[in-house]
Amino acid sequence: MTTLHDLDLRQLEAFAAVISAGNITAAAKALDRSQPAVSRLIQELEQSLGYLLFTRNGPRIHPTEEALQLHQYVQKALLSLQQIRLRAQEIGQQQHRPLHIAATPALAAGLLPQALATLGLQNKVHIISESAEQTAHAVISGEADIGLCSLPLEHHAVDLHWIGQSRCVVALQQDDPLAKETHITLNCLAGRRLIAPWNPLRLRGRFEKALKKLKVPPHETIETNSSANILACVRAGLGVAILEPVTAWGMPLEGVTIVPLEEDIPYFFGVITPQGRQLSLAVQSLIAALETAAEQLLSSFQRLPAAEHPRVMRLLNQED
């Protein structure tokens, strides 16, 4: 069995470089090594693992299925080692500790930059943009110092600082007849193609239930896991969207008009930190800056105390 001592870091770097570059010549240039040296490292890694990583056809090489499977783990490991190197340098130079932030894509792009812009940060900032579940996990595991995530956020390993509430909106192509309205009802969307987030367990499930309750079925649906993709599809005239307000107002897209939704379908998000961790001044400042940014960005924003989480979840479950 291959042991950790058998896995040479230079071999893994060469392997990752060849996968990324597509050939040994380009990988050797990226690594500042000779082409024979990189070829030798690949061959040694193959011998150590006991299976081929690349098939060779003259000067061309192609990764095997095993190589593609291995690459995802090697890439993560190399990135982690790079982070260790950077953190070690910062510790040795007594630099400010980086501020690690995890956030869902909507909050990372629509709200977080506005909050960070108000801070005179001395720290480096690392932003991890993941799904709601992965964002919460990054905070729970201590990978992130602070997280911005949609509800639910009740977990014994996190401290919830406050909950934000704002009404959902409708996104339309700018020349859509409904774009001139001051408010749009769900009934106005009858028969329209809906551009929707793919996850039925979050916001999508809630507005679909509201549409069904009013007997307003969409004509058909395009699904995506990105609010930015939703706006791009709307701009292209592929349909309309019921959208969380953070992306709608925080990432305005030319050619797309945002109109408030008449029915109150609230969007809830929260700010969390690892439970029991002493908060740095940077994290404390960001918690306050996020609230200020949300007040300025979202016209219907309400700040709810963390103690309101059970009530909010009861309200959402009643909708279900």
Side-chain angles (χ1 to χ4, degrees), residues 42 71-72 157 171 174 215 220 265 276 281-282 297 304:
I42 295 297
H71 179 251
Q72 60 180 320
Q174 65 179 8
K215 299 181 179 180
E220 53 186 278
I265 301 179
L281 290 177
L297 177 68
L304 306 177

Side-chain angles (χ1 to χ4, degrees), residues 114-133:
Q114 298 193 36
L116 289 173
T118 66
L119 303 179
L121 288 173
Q122 301 297 317
N123 308 62
K124 292 182 179 178
V125 177
H126 296 161
I127 300 174
I128 306 166
S129 181
E130 299 281 7
S131 68
E133 294 80 8

